Amino acid sequence: MSDIDDLIAWLKRRSAEELAGLLDQRPHLLRYGSVPRNLPDLARQLLDDRYSYELLHEINRPEQELLTSAARLTQDLDRGIYGYPYPASRPVAVADLLTAVGGDASARTVLDGLRAKLLLLPAGPDRIRVPALVRQSFVAREYVPATLDRALTSSFNKAPVMTIAEHLGIDSTTRIDAQRRIVAMLSDQGQVRALISSAPDDARQMLGKLLSEQALLGTYCFELKAGRYSLREGGSGDPDTDWLARRGLLVPAGRDRAEVPLEVARVLGGPGSSPFTSEPPRPATVPVPLDRMRGEAQSAAAAADNRIGLLLKTLAREPATLRKSGGLAVRETRRLAKALGVDEDEARFWIDLCEAASLLGIEAPKKKADYPRLLPTPLYDDWLKRPPGERLASVIAAWATIKDIVTWWPENGENPVALAGSRDPCAVGLRGSVLRSLAALPPGTGLSPRTAGQDLAEAAAWHRPMCVREYGDERVWATLLEAQLLAVSALGMLTETGHVVLEMLETAPVAGPERQLETGGLDTSGSYRGRLSAALNGLLPPPQTTARFQADLTAIVSGTPAPELASLLDSIADRESEGQAQVWRFAPASVRRGLDGGADATDLLERLTGVSRGALPQPLEYLIRDTARKHGSVRVVRSACCLRSDDESLVLELSQHRALRKLGLRRIAPTVLISAQPIRATLEALRSAGYSPALEAATGATEVERILEHRAPARPQRPASARRGRTAPTSLEIAERLHEAR
């Protein structure tokens, strides 16, 4: 039977609850595919590579090694060109697979998990098949040597077989018996290792090199006559090669080529062997005092909250321009990095995270020639009112689920671009593997600074080998640095916040981690966001509501300022520094900015006195009163357009016309009116009232008007879920329908 026939027959024997459990094990089916209509449809989806690819990237090293061993056992060993096998699915006994990987209890547990996910397919009682995607991912292009039995049968006649048996100490009179005993002896790990221990040193080194490099050996030890090989009389000229060949440790792989047979390679750990690493590696560690780790995390959390707030405030005052091709313009990233006092990589990190947390949004251009702009969303106003822990929790929640490693950029010759929209299917899994590796460290210890990068990459690769396979060390190290910026880790240890994030990633196999943190905007009543907020609120000190004003016209706030205090100081002073203590400096220009906002000197002094630790310094009072005394001596009149006429009586008539009140006309000279409405609206209102105005250019010449064509706005398309008007069915509901239709 074929893979799909076996799978359909197996699915028909499952109960509705078992089918629901299978769908829960394969959440990608419902996340990316259509709801299966019947069991054959479900079987086709289960065997479709598109729905298995992401699941394959979530396996750990023991699972990968067991799948690799299963693929090696199930593939056809008839080799094609260059010694690579034609992959074919054929059943293999579960007992044989467990024997190949050592057969301990941990291997059985891993095997049961893979069968539950159908990464190993049922093929009868205690037999399995390997899906095509697994074979292609692990062994389709792996060189597999010839088996000893096949090499002895197809390459040799009787004489060399008997010679090999003699050198192995096998006493036999028939070729069939000699060949059977040769294969049995060279398949036994103890006998092979005993044989290798008696080999000359150079022969032993040669064999080890062939196994480690998976290489063929150029040699003249075999002689081809009439389509069969024999051992060359007089030897090849290399006694070490001859020693290996005469004991069956080398077999012909073509004219003047030799290889180590599959059985020998397996028992010695070469190609075709089946390793099984049941325990993750243990990184080198150093003792780290908990109070020191907590202090480092507290500093990082405070800095993160300050930089996020400063980024949002900067963009609220001056939105950033995006490229029409996508992503934030590099010059804008540099501007924001300078404002935050960080490098461009870290600036990209905060920009992308704030966008992922819906604190930043993209405003579409109003005109074709304009560019999209990046600015805070309305959620930012609510975010400002939250305690520091809750504010940072929303950003950490976005980091935990974002499918990108923001601070890592591949070396492709392009400058890193913020908001480039990259999608890394391994990012969330890699993030979880890094946090798991840190959580597994002994209590009170952190990664050794000397080997932290390499050790962490090896430990993370045990949890997610396919995610770390490409650019592994770089992406793992970038993930750790991001965790440190968010106080998820500190000094090579996992913080309390990190433990909450890790628990969320480990307990969300069905809905996905993003579902676990979806609680509607900034609501922190959800389980994980609430716990994140609690951990961060315990880490961060309460916001400061007072400042210390000094005679040098500066104000200092120790710690994180409350939103009201920061807003007041930002309105009339310039922020000079961030960190544990934040400094604002007062100057005539900054005070004038506050007066422009509608405040007066008395109001400003009262508000500053209310947040001051002690009396306000006299230089600050003098600065505010002196600036207020000069404020408003010159008036700038706001207008949308200007109306001019040499007829003063007509100008007076227009200013009093009832039909033109909506224009907000104001007479500022006997022959001049200003309008609060734009030029086009003013012209239309004048013409509707029976007047005949003309449009005048800046040079004073009459300007010719052109008729504008208008277009109706495009109808927004509703999402598919809204069009259907119903919620997605649960896995149990789908399973019950499939079970009834079988």
Side-chain angles (χ1 to χ4, degrees):
M1 296 178 68
S2 65
D3 289 356
I4 192 168
D5 292 333
D6 280 340
L7 183 55
I8 292 173
W10 182 83
L11 290 172
K12 288 181 178 179
R13 297 191 297 270
R14 303 303 103 189
S15 65
E17 291 74 14
E18 289 174 328
L19 291 176
L22 172 60
L23 293 174
D24 289 340
Q25 291 284 346
R26 299 290 293 269
H28 312 94
L29 293 179
L30 303 182
R31 195 180 304 170
Y32 305 124
S34 58
V35 176
R37 297 165 296 177
N38 47 46
L39 292 180
D41 190 20
L42 174 60
R44 282 189 290 271
Q45 290 190 24
L46 288 168
L47 295 178
D48 194 322
D49 293 352
R50 294 174 298 173
Y51 306 137
S52 300
Y53 178 79
E54 195 164 337
L55 180 64
L56 208 57
H57 279 73
E58 295 175 2
I59 63 175
N60 58 28
R61 176 157 290 164
E63 292 173 323
Q64 183 193 49
E65 291 171 345
L66 196 143
L67 288 174
T68 303
S69 299
R72 285 171 176 158
L73 290 175
T74 59
Q75 69 186 355
D76 186 353
L77 296 180
D78 285 330
R79 293 173 296 164
I81 189 169
Y82 304 123
Y84 292 103
Y86 297 112
S89 177
R90 63 176 185 175
V92 64
V94 170
D96 293 342
L97 176 55
L98 292 175
T99 300
V101 296
D104 59 3
S106 61
R108 168 61 84 172
T109 302
V110 173
L111 175 60
D112 292 341
L114 293 173
R115 296 176 73 178
K117 298 175 185 177
L118 288 185
L119 285 176
L120 290 175
L121 303 175
D126 291 325
R127 296 173 71 83
I128 52 97
R129 291 181 189 267
V130 180
L133 179 63
V134 174
R135 298 195 304 273
Q136 294 166 5
S137 299
F138 299 136
V139 299
R141 297 302 297 167
E142 180 184 79
Y143 180 82
V144 178
T147 62
L148 185 58
D149 185 60
R150 181 165 298 177
L152 295 176
T153 301
S154 61
S155 299
F156 293 132
N157 52 27
K158 180 178 179 180
V161 173
M162 302 306 292
T163 301
I164 292 174
E166 180 184 351
H167 282 83
L168 290 176
I170 296 173
D171 185 12
S172 182
T173 57
T174 65
R175 170 182 175 152
I176 295 177
D177 181 64
Q179 183 168 319
R180 179 182 59 79
R181 295 173 65 181
I182 291 171
V183 172
M185 178 177 179
L186 296 184
S187 299
D188 182 86
Q189 186 176 35
Q191 294 189 68
V192 172
R193 294 194 179 278
L195 178 64
I196 298 301
S197 65
S198 65
D201 291 341
D202 291 342
R204 197 159 50 242
Q205 293 177 8
M206 178 190 300
L207 184 62
K209 185 175 182 181
L210 291 174
L211 291 172
S212 63
E213 297 179 0
Q214 302 186 18
L216 298 178
L217 177 66
T219 179
Y220 298 103
C221 64
F222 299 112
E223 186 176 11
L224 183 62
K225 293 181 180 180
R228 294 279 179 155
Y229 290 96
S230 62
L231 295 167
R232 187 179 296 274
E233 295 182 7
S236 64
D238 182 2
D240 299 313
T241 302
D242 294 334
W243 192 95
L244 296 172
R246 289 190 175 94
R247 288 158 180 81
L249 300 176
L250 288 177
V251 294
R255 186 182 292 273
D256 300 332
R257 293 289 186 270
E259 64 183 350
V260 182
L262 180 62
E263 290 83 353
V264 177
R266 280 179 173 167
V267 300
L268 295 179
S273 62
S274 302
F276 186 74
T277 311
S278 59
E279 297 293 333
R282 296 181 179 179
T285 59
V286 294
V288 177
L290 292 181
D291 57 345
R292 185 182 168 205
M293 181 272 288
R294 183 176 176 82
E296 189 77 12
Q298 184 175 5
S299 177
D305 182 60
N306 290 335
R307 285 165 184 161
I308 293 168
L310 187 56
L311 170 66
L312 295 171
K313 184 183 66 176
T314 302
L315 288 172
R317 292 180 176 176
E318 185 180 352
T321 303
L322 278 77
R323 308 180 305 179
K324 290 189 175 180
S325 59
L328 191 65
V330 175
R331 68 176 182 277
E332 294 284 17
T333 304
R334 291 172 180 165
R335 171 176 73 89
L336 294 173
K338 184 178 181 180
L340 299 182
V342 299
D343 58 33
E344 292 182 34
D345 286 341
E346 187 176 338
R348 285 192 299 109
F349 177 65
W350 299 120
I351 294 168
D352 278 51
L353 280 196
C354 287
E355 192 273 338
S358 299
L359 294 173
L360 289 177
I362 299 175
E363 180 187 62
K366 298 180 180 179
K367 298 180 181 179
K368 188 175 181 180
D370 294 340
Y371 289 82
R373 299 193 308 166
L374 180 70
L375 65 165
T377 65
L379 202 62
Y380 168 54
D381 299 320
D382 186 27
W383 184 87
L384 278 175
K385 302 173 184 177
R386 300 275 178 162
E390 292 186 17
R391 294 201 301 257
L392 192 53
S394 64
V395 179
I396 293 178
W399 175 77
T401 60
I402 187 173
K403 293 189 175 180
D404 189 18
I405 301 174
V406 181
T407 56
W408 178 80
W409 192 267
E411 296 293 338
N412 54 9
E414 297 181 2
N415 289 325
V417 177
L419 303 177
S422 60
R423 178 182 172 86
D424 185 350
C426 290
V428 177
L430 182 60
R431 194 171 294 124
S433 67
V434 169
L435 299 187
R436 288 187 192 97
S437 300
L438 294 178
L441 298 178
T445 64
L447 292 172
S448 172
R450 292 185 177 181
T451 59
Q454 181 180 356
D455 287 353
L456 185 59
E458 292 177 357
W462 188 91
H463 294 284
R464 287 289 188 271
M466 295 191 70
C467 290
V468 186
R469 181 170 58 185
E470 189 174 1
Y471 306 110
D473 292 5
E474 299 174 9
R475 294 165 74 239
V476 168
W477 188 248
T479 301
L480 178 63
L481 294 181
E482 292 180 4
Q484 292 174 349
L485 288 174
L486 292 169
V488 173
S489 72
L491 299 177
M493 299 178 65
L494 200 62
T495 64
E496 182 181 353
T497 304
H499 281 286
V500 177
V501 175
L502 175 58
E503 184 179 344
M504 179 270 295
L505 292 173
E506 288 182 332
T507 57
V510 178
E514 61 275 6
R515 297 287 185 184
Q516 297 290 337
L517 285 170
E518 271 184 8
T519 54
L522 293 175
D523 181 20
T524 56
S525 59
S527 173
Y528 287 106
R529 275 203 184 175
R531 291 174 57 192
L532 278 175
S533 300
L536 291 166
N537 285 332
L539 189 65
L540 291 169
Q544 300 296 311
T545 58
T546 59
R548 185 172 71 254
F549 296 90
Q550 302 188 125
D552 62 352
L553 300 180
T554 60
I556 300 176
V557 177
S558 299
T560 302
E564 298 80 6
L565 177 60
S567 177
L568 171 62
L569 295 178
D570 285 337
S571 66
I572 56 175
D574 296 320
R575 196 180 303 222
E576 279 196 342
S577 65
E578 303 280 345
Q580 295 293 339
Q582 300 186 46
V583 179
W584 281 262
R585 181 169 294 278
F586 294 87
S590 65
V591 174
R592 185 168 57 248
R593 184 175 67 234
L595 296 173
D596 291 339
D600 57 25
T602 302
D603 178 53
L604 287 179
L605 290 173
E606 288 180 356
R607 294 175 64 189
L608 291 177
T609 301
V611 298
S612 175
R613 297 179 184 176
L616 291 179
Q618 282 190 342
L620 179 58
E621 292 188 23
Y622 292 159
L623 172 65
I624 293 175
R625 294 188 185 280
D626 187 57
T627 305
R629 189 165 44 253
K630 301 176 182 178
H631 186 262
S633 57
V634 175
R635 300 280 179 169
V636 177
V637 180
R638 185 189 300 274
S639 67
C641 65
C642 176
L643 290 76
R644 183 184 67 80
S645 175
D646 294 334
D647 188 345
E648 295 185 13
S649 61
L650 177 59
V651 171
L652 180 61
E653 177 185 335
L654 292 174
S655 66
Q656 299 174 353
H657 201 296
R658 296 181 61 183
L660 300 178
R661 286 181 179 177
K662 62 181 180 180
L663 296 180
L665 298 177
R666 178 184 173 191
R667 191 178 183 190
I668 60 174
T671 59
V672 179
L673 289 170
I674 58 173
S675 172
Q677 298 297 320
I679 292 176
R680 183 60 50 190
T682 301
L683 288 171
E684 291 177 358
L686 289 171
R687 287 164 181 163
S688 297
Y691 298 94
S692 301
L695 184 62
E696 185 175 280
T699 59
T702 301
E703 186 173 313
V704 178
E705 297 183 60
R706 292 181 172 84
I707 299 176
L708 299 176
E709 295 184 359
H710 299 275
R711 295 289 186 271
R715 179 183 297 176
Q717 187 173 0
R718 291 180 299 166
S721 59
R723 292 197 301 269
R724 288 194 300 266
R726 60 178 184 269
T727 58
T730 65
S731 57
L732 182 58
E733 291 172 344
I734 297 173
E736 289 174 344
R737 290 203 297 264
L738 293 174
H739 189 261
E740 293 174 358
R742 62 179 176 171

